[in-house]
Amino acid sequence: MDNYINITTPIYYTNGQPHIGHVYTTILVDVYKKFYELMGFHARMATGTDEHGLKILKTATSMGITPQELVDKVSGSFKSYWQQMGVSFDDYIRTTETRHISMAQRFWEYLVQKGDIYLGQYDGLYCLSCEQYYKESELLEGNICPIHERPCEHITEESYFFKLSKYQDQLLDYLQSHPDFIQPAIRRNEILGFLENEQLQDISISRNTFDWGIPVPNDNTHVMYVWFDALINYISSLGGPESADYKNYWTNTIHFIGKDILRFHAVYWPAMLIALDLPLPKAIVAHGWWNIGDKKISKSNQNASMSLAEIIDRVSIDGLRFYLTSGLSLERDGNFDYHQLVDTINSNLSNNLGNLFNRLIVLSSKYFGGVLDYVQHGQEVDDEWTEAILKKAYELRQQYIESMTRFRHFEALGNVMQYCALLNEYITTKEPWKIIKDPQRKNEVLLVLSNIAEGLRWVANLIHPFIPGIANKMNNSLFHQDGFEMPESFSRGRYEVTNNEVLFQRLVNDA
Ligand code: MSP
């Protein structure tokens, strides 16, 4: 099933509202989903919420509501953000849904029968924010969690364990023979190093001190550990191993995650799948963090002066999407800076792309009544530029596909912006507003504007995954295409201006 692809976000905890960190992963997944659509794939995107565990129970209790009330509210809020942001998810999975609960219980029973789950005693240090046990050696002085910088709790309890240790060699073999399974390379090396140097311990996968979780089959004193059930969402979302979606999509699945949850996805989840006798997904792609003041953006560390809603309100959805996807490779962390955001989108969306598009619309309306319909009469007058624009368009497409296939979206987007800069150079060099004064040369102006229109049609298609709102505006104003597609041939057509609103309003950097 080569032209099927399923791309997933992690499912987000419902103990707080979405922030820039969540937006980043979701937008990245949406960019790749839309890219694969351009490429003609059956592309599917799944996202959703992770609704069990102690953290959520404690938040609900402190708010004086039931955990179910809390998760209903927060899950709805995540979903409506994604809808508002133009994210085209195909499934929104919640771990409190029956389809997921029954899948997690079924998988649990399978592992019990296989002898991979056993009852034991857990004694360890737990970070509530990570919902994860740590070894003392992994913590900062005073048993402080290195990610949340909060003390871990000492927990001793009866627990079911998953025999992770049994799968160490198989995992290592798999990673060694599948170099693209974990990306980028820096993350693959991290996991390889971990598997080569550490003896894997069995992991605790149940809790018996609270009941906000999926009941363990045949033991009503335990609920499943939130991470055990959460990872299974990726298969519940497809309808389980017998479903047609699973058959088409499962081995073509890419999990996008933040580097904070790499070990769960690159060690625990593959081991669970091997134990379940199921194939592994295609790849796990981990990105870095957005920080504020060198600390990861989180529920408690956000831009204090501006909420996510306010940021969107000020810079627009496309503005935020552009900023988050244009500057960072997956390997790097970024510092979220409002002023830099405004500068980035002003120079790219308002100056570079926006001005060019609006200029084209204005000149086309003024000189040609809004209709560009170039017909070649013998030799073209500006062969050189025409050639350059055309050649660059084909190069751009090839580079774009290569970059996107290697998860270098920032590079793909950067190249599209450079192409816009070239089109800008073309128009300022040719100065059609001067040539038009000579009535003999009207056709030459028509050629310049048509070349730019065709170049911008390519741009609109290629930026659609990143900034769908702007691509749609361009389409509605001038191209009137039926959806977006990977442009095939650079051939000037007929372009008719039907709308002349400004493509992207320049922002004032005033916050
Ligand atoms: N519920 C788990 C995931 C289970 S997946 C089977 C979880 N949820 S979370 O809400 O805490 O965050 C999930 C993801 O949000 C992170 O992995 C990451 O993709 C994204 N981010 C959260 N904060 C982030 C930043 N500050 N920067 C970038 N991404 C971050 O973990």
Side-chain angles (χ1 to χ4, degrees):
M1 292 297 168
D2 276 349
N3 63 343
Y4 281 80
I5 192 110
N6 178 39
I7 318 182
T8 65
T9 74
I11 46 171
Y12 302 108
Y13 284 130
T14 42
N15 63 320
Q17 294 296 316
H19 56 64
I20 293 289
H22 307 128
V23 170
Y24 181 46
T25 318
T26 308
I27 295 301
L28 278 183
V29 171
D30 188 50
V31 164
Y32 282 95
K33 144 108 196 231
K34 289 183 164 85
F35 162 70
Y36 278 104
E37 263 171 0
L38 275 191
M39 298 287 287
F41 276 66
H42 298 280
R44 177 185 188 274
M45 167 177 178
T47 187
T49 43
D50 190 354
E51 307 188 357
H52 293 120
L54 187 56
K55 177 157 69 172
I56 284 160
L57 178 62
K58 282 198 171 170
T59 308
T61 311
S62 73
M63 291 168 73
I65 56 175
T66 65
Q68 191 64 55
E69 282 167 341
L70 174 68
V71 299
D72 286 348
K73 190 162 157 267
V74 180
S75 182
S77 165
F78 269 89
K79 189 174 186 179
S80 73
Y81 261 102
W82 307 148
Q83 283 163 335
Q84 184 197 336
M85 298 189 84
V87 173
S88 15
F89 56 87
D90 299 277
D91 188 23
Y92 191 83
I93 180 138
R94 300 183 51 187
T95 55
T96 49
E97 288 175 83
T98 317
R99 60 173 170 153
H100 173 72
I101 295 173
S102 55
M103 196 65 58
Q105 290 179 327
R106 170 180 154 189
F107 284 177
W108 180 287
E109 283 175 327
Y110 189 93
L111 295 177
V112 169
Q113 272 164 27
K114 203 164 167 192
D116 282 348
I117 289 183
Y118 63 91
L119 191 61
Q121 185 75 19
Y122 198 85
D123 181 60
L125 291 155
Y126 196 77
C127 169
L128 188 61
S129 296
C130 296
E131 291 278 14
Q132 182 185 350
Y133 285 107
Y134 278 102
K135 285 198 232 155
E136 213 169 319
S137 59
E138 293 171 316
L139 298 174
L140 306 176
E141 181 133 353
N143 294 337
I144 303 286
C145 163
I147 296 179
H148 295 96
E149 298 179 4
R150 289 171 47 166
C152 292
E153 285 175 50
H154 193 164
I155 292 183
T156 312
E157 60 182 308
E158 182 189 76
S159 167
Y160 284 95
F161 284 81
F162 168 60
K163 279 192 189 161
L164 182 66
S165 55
K166 178 173 159 191
Y167 294 100
Q168 179 146 8
D169 294 342
Q170 264 169 284
L171 269 176
L172 202 50
D173 282 354
Y174 192 88
L175 296 195
Q176 277 159 348
S177 56
H178 294 80
D180 290 336
F181 182 62
I182 303 174
Q183 298 198 49
I186 177 180
R187 304 292 163 225
R188 165 183 154 80
N189 293 339
E190 228 174 88
I191 293 296
L192 274 178
F194 175 69
L195 288 174
E196 278 159 359
N197 300 320
E198 302 261 339
Q199 186 66 45
L200 284 185
Q201 307 288 315
D202 293 346
I203 46 169
S204 159
I205 53 163
S206 77
R207 308 295 302 272
N208 70 353
T209 48
F210 62 90
D211 63 1
W212 183 243
I214 298 183
V216 163
N218 307 314
D219 184 346
N220 58 15
T221 61
H222 283 255
V223 293
M224 292 179 197
Y225 168 47
V226 59
W227 267 104
F228 179 87
D229 96 67
L231 289 161
I232 293 169
N233 93 83
Y234 298 125
I235 292 187
S236 327
S237 160
L238 288 171
E242 294 76 27
S243 74
D245 274 349
Y246 174 91
K247 289 182 180 120
N248 288 328
Y249 287 112
W250 175 242
T251 53
N252 295 310
T253 292
I254 301 176
H255 297 316
F256 265 79
I257 55 165
K259 64 179 180 179
D260 44 337
I261 53 174
L262 181 64
R263 207 176 282 179
F264 290 101
H265 284 80
V267 178
Y268 300 176
W269 180 225
M272 282 165 69
L273 288 164
I274 297 173
L276 288 162
D277 299 305
L278 294 173
L280 303 196
K282 187 183 171 77
I284 290 154
V285 178
H287 61 68
W289 288 339
W290 280 96
N291 298 328
I292 286 185
D294 284 339
K295 267 180 73 181
K296 181 181 176 236
I297 297 179
S298 65
K299 194 169 159 239
S300 53
N301 180 44
Q302 297 190 48
N303 186 341
S305 58
M306 227 185 279
S307 67
L308 175 59
E310 194 181 345
I311 295 173
I312 294 175
D313 201 43
R314 280 169 175 256
V315 308
S316 82
I317 284 158
D318 278 334
L320 181 60
R321 288 178 68 113
F322 187 91
Y323 176 65
L324 293 177
T325 52
S326 63
L328 268 194
S329 66
L330 291 176
E331 290 84 350
R332 289 178 47 220
D333 292 344
N335 195 39
F336 189 85
D337 178 315
Y338 182 76
H339 294 286
Q340 189 193 38
L341 187 170
V342 171
D343 286 347
T344 305
I345 57 187
N346 271 342
S347 73
N348 285 283
L349 301 185
S350 167
N351 299 358
N352 189 0
L353 174 61
N355 281 351
L356 177 67
F357 190 75
N358 287 116
R359 214 170 209 184
L360 175 68
I361 297 287
V362 167
L363 298 182
S364 306
S365 304
K366 200 163 157 195
Y367 307 146
F368 300 100
V371 179
L372 302 176
D373 199 358
Y374 178 80
V375 183
Q376 194 170 330
H377 302 292
Q379 184 77 17
E380 281 180 355
V381 233
D382 77 337
D383 257 344
E384 240 176 60
W385 266 105
T386 301
E387 273 303 304
I389 297 291
L390 179 140
K391 195 167 152 257
K392 270 280 173 209
Y394 289 113
E395 265 174 40
L396 171 67
R397 187 186 57 194
Q398 194 190 339
Q399 286 168 344
Y400 177 94
I401 295 174
E402 268 172 34
S403 300
M404 292 300 286
T405 315
R406 291 163 51 225
F407 302 112
R408 298 175 67 80
H409 46 271
F410 64 99
E411 195 175 78
L413 188 51
N415 284 330
V416 178
M417 287 299 126
Q418 268 182 26
Y419 188 66
C420 289
L422 178 73
L423 295 176
N424 264 311
E425 192 190 326
Y426 179 33
I427 201 165
T428 44
T429 312
K430 296 301 278 190
E431 299 182 302
W433 44 90
K434 284 193 183 156
I435 317 180
I436 197 75
K437 292 186 179 142
D438 177 353
Q440 303 292 312
R441 297 179 70 190
K442 196 167 177 188
N443 208 40
E444 199 180 331
V445 174
L446 183 55
L447 173 67
V448 173
L449 297 186
S450 302
N451 278 338
I452 289 174
E454 179 61 6
L456 282 174
R457 189 181 72 81
W458 279 51
V459 168
N461 281 296
L462 299 180
I463 58 165
H464 176 254
F466 295 89
I467 40 176
I470 289 181
N472 274 313
K473 257 192 183 174
M474 291 169 78
N475 205 16
N476 294 338
S477 300
L478 192 60
F479 305 120
H480 315 295
Q481 300 179 134
D482 195 10
F484 294 90
E485 58 187 9
M486 192 52 79
E488 282 304 326
S489 83
F490 193 100
S491 48
R492 289 175 298 263
R494 182 179 187 278
Y495 312 91
E496 185 173 351
V497 179
T498 52
N499 184 347
N500 59 2
E501 68 175 311
V502 169
L503 192 62
F504 192 86
Q505 205 75 48
R506 198 180 163 75
L507 303 171
V508 186
N509 206 341
D510 64 348

